[in-house]
Amino acid sequence: MPLYTYIVTFKGSSYVAQAKHSNFRGFVSSWTSELPQNALQGLTPDLKKELSQKAYRGEFNEVPNRKHVWKKSIDLEGEEFTVFAVQTEP
């Protein structure tokens, strides 16, 4: 299984997670529920709950001119939560 690196950003803060999965799309726990408390500034418990509900909606889009890099943006009360999925190892 490939190793994926997830880079998430919210309100100027960022966090990096890694996990081995068969694909990057269906394993949102790697970048949602497994976030340590206070990992992202402004991600309150209520917003984290909203994130876990919205995480499966929408699609990842390929990042132009990059191989094995995808991006997804989620609106959390008017603020953009962004996650990049990077296939780090085959």
Side-chain angles (χ1 to χ4, degrees):
M1 278 191 264
L3 175 68
Y4 293 98
T5 300
Y6 299 95
I7 304 156
V8 296
T9 62
F10 185 67
K11 291 187 175 184
S13 296
S14 60
Y15 177 75
V16 177
Q18 289 186 310
K20 287 191 175 210
H21 300 297
S22 57
N23 68 72
F24 65 89
R25 290 180 180 90
F27 299 92
V28 299
S29 63
S30 298
W31 50 272
T32 57
S33 61
E34 295 178 13
L35 281 170
Q37 188 176 6
N38 300 322
L40 295 173
Q41 177 182 326
L43 189 63
T44 64
D46 287 343
L47 288 177
K48 193 171 180 181
K49 183 178 178 181
E50 182 180 340
L51 173 63
S52 66
Q53 294 170 352
K54 291 183 172 182
Y56 287 98
R57 298 180 200 158
E59 293 293 321
F60 276 90
N61 297 304
E62 289 186 67
V63 174
N65 302 314
R66 298 291 176 256
K67 288 181 116 180
H68 308 294
V69 181
W70 302 267
K71 177 185 177 186
K72 181 176 191 168
S73 295
I74 299 169
D75 181 278
L76 295 178
E77 293 186 349
E79 297 286 340
E80 184 178 40
F81 179 98
T82 304
V83 58
F84 290 92
V86 182
Q87 184 176 338
T88 310
E89 292 178 352

